[in-house]
């Protein structure tokens, strides 16, 4: 066991636990935000309901999504350096999926800003399909991190 503890020592397990916890927070937010968008689309622009959805989405962004993403990245990079994973194939694949998921987070924040301006560029059906992205990404990330197939 000593060879995979790295510079963090026994603290590594606590860092790993925190990483998983913040991954759960991020995923919860990424599942919720596109669903919020679907419901937001159903109300008239400029209505009281529109303002309430903007406030809900903004709170989700400020309180859950952005902090979870930042903390998740910091802890993930610490774990990657601690474990020396940079040369392993499973890690390269996981890192690529995490980068894509971070891009999805950026898209969600950008789409929130469009809704806030009264724009509705996507249909509800497209938003429902985009709502599946985090689930697929989470499944791939977990398989790569736990099974380490290559």
């Amino acid at each position: 066991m000593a060879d995979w503890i790295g510079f963090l020592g026994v603290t590594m397990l606590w860092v790993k636990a925190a990483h998983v916890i913040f991954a759960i927070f991020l995923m919860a937010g990424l599942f919720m935000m596109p669903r919020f968008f679907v419901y937001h689309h159903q109300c008239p622009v400029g209505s009281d309901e529109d303002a309430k959805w903007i406030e809900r989405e903004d709170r989700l962004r400020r309180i859950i999504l952005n902090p979870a993403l930042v903390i998740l990245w910091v802890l993930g990079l610490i774990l990657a350096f601690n474990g020396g994973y940079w040369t392993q194939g499973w890690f390269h694949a996981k890192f690529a999926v995490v980068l894509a998921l971070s891009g999805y987070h950026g898209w969600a924040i950008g789409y929130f800003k469009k809704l806030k301006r009264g724009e509705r560029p996507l249909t509800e059906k497209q938003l429902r399909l985009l709502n599946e992205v985090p689930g697929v990404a989470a499944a791939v990330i977990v398989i790569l991190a736990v099974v380490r197939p290559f």
Side-chain angles (χ1 to χ4, degrees):
M1 182 170 154
D3 59 346
W4 59 273
I5 291 178
F7 63 83
L8 289 174
V10 293
T11 308
M12 189 267 317
L13 295 176
W14 288 101
V15 174
K16 188 182 282 190
H19 182 70
V20 171
I21 290 165
F22 282 97
I24 292 168
F25 291 165
L26 178 67
M27 295 311 298
L30 290 177
F31 283 128
M32 289 174 64
M33 189 66 100
R35 180 57 50 190
F36 280 13
F37 294 162
V38 169
Y39 299 139
H40 191 161
H41 264 249
Q42 297 170 353
C43 68
V45 174
S47 67
D48 287 343
E49 188 179 0
D50 182 48
K52 288 177 185 175
W53 280 112
I54 291 168
E55 179 60 27
R56 288 177 191 122
E57 292 158 358
D58 191 43
R59 284 183 181 170
L60 181 60
R61 176 189 63 84
R62 284 183 295 108
I63 297 169
I64 297 174
L65 282 172
N66 288 352
L69 183 71
V70 170
I71 294 168
L72 187 66
W73 266 98
V74 169
L75 295 173
L77 289 171
I78 289 170
L79 289 169
F81 282 109
N82 181 71
Y85 301 141
W86 299 99
T87 61
Q88 299 178 28
W90 68 269
F91 180 77
H92 294 162
K94 179 185 179 229
F95 195 76
V97 177
V98 169
L99 281 173
L101 195 58
S102 296
Y104 179 84
H105 168 273
W107 167 83
I109 300 308
Y111 200 78
F112 157 71
K113 291 176 182 177
K114 289 178 183 178
L115 288 173
K116 191 174 177 179
R117 290 190 303 263
E119 300 172 22
R120 305 275 200 280
L122 297 176
T123 66
E124 287 180 35
K125 184 177 181 179
Q126 289 170 319
L127 289 171
R128 290 177 198 274
L129 287 171
L130 285 167
N131 196 40
E132 304 305 321
V133 170
V136 172
V140 171
I141 289 168
V142 168
I143 290 168
L144 290 167
V146 174
V147 178
R148 297 181 180 184
F150 46 89

